[in-house]
Amino acid sequence: MIEGNILSLPALIGGIIVRDRNLSKQIRDGDDRLHERVNRIRDEYVRRDDLHQHIGRVDQGLKDMRDESRQENAQINRRLDDLLAKLSGS
């Protein structure tokens, strides 16, 4: 009986070691998948500060274009008014 217990002790210890290694591998694989996902999200998405600055530049550019367009339209209107005044005065 004692001989059977002595022979089964290494098998029991080996089984515990195999189980622990398998559990560690599963945990490591889960961590690797999580880290990969976090890195992918970090690489694919834009920080709010960067997006806010970019949108601010776009807004400023649109405002500048709108102001230039208004100035050009005002000049065109003045020229058309002058032309109409000359044509009606003739």
Side-chain angles (χ1 to χ4, degrees):
M1 188 68 130
I2 293 177
E3 293 172 359
N5 288 338
I6 291 175
L7 292 176
S8 65
L9 185 61
L12 178 66
I13 293 172
I16 291 172
I17 291 172
V18 168
R19 184 197 62 185
D20 286 348
R21 286 184 181 171
N22 189 22
L23 182 61
S24 293
K25 183 181 180 304
Q26 288 176 351
I27 291 171
R28 188 173 40 256
D29 290 345
D31 286 349
D32 289 345
R33 283 193 307 268
L34 177 64
H35 291 176
E36 179 184 330
R37 184 175 176 207
V38 167
N39 289 338
R40 188 176 64 242
I41 288 171
R42 182 195 63 211
D43 294 340
E44 292 176 358
Y45 289 91
V46 178
R47 287 186 17 219
R48 285 180 188 243
D49 292 342
D50 293 341
L51 180 62
H52 182 68
Q53 290 173 357
H54 179 70
I55 295 297
R57 287 192 302 267
V58 170
D59 285 343
Q60 185 61 42
L62 286 174
K63 182 180 178 287
D64 293 343
M65 288 175 57
R66 185 178 60 229
D67 292 344
E68 289 173 7
S69 177
R70 284 181 181 164
Q71 289 174 356
E72 290 173 4
N73 286 340
Q75 290 174 359
I76 291 171
N77 286 339
R78 273 196 305 269
R79 289 179 187 161
L80 287 174
D81 289 343
D82 291 345
L83 180 62
L84 287 174
K86 286 180 183 178
L87 289 176
S88 25
S90 305

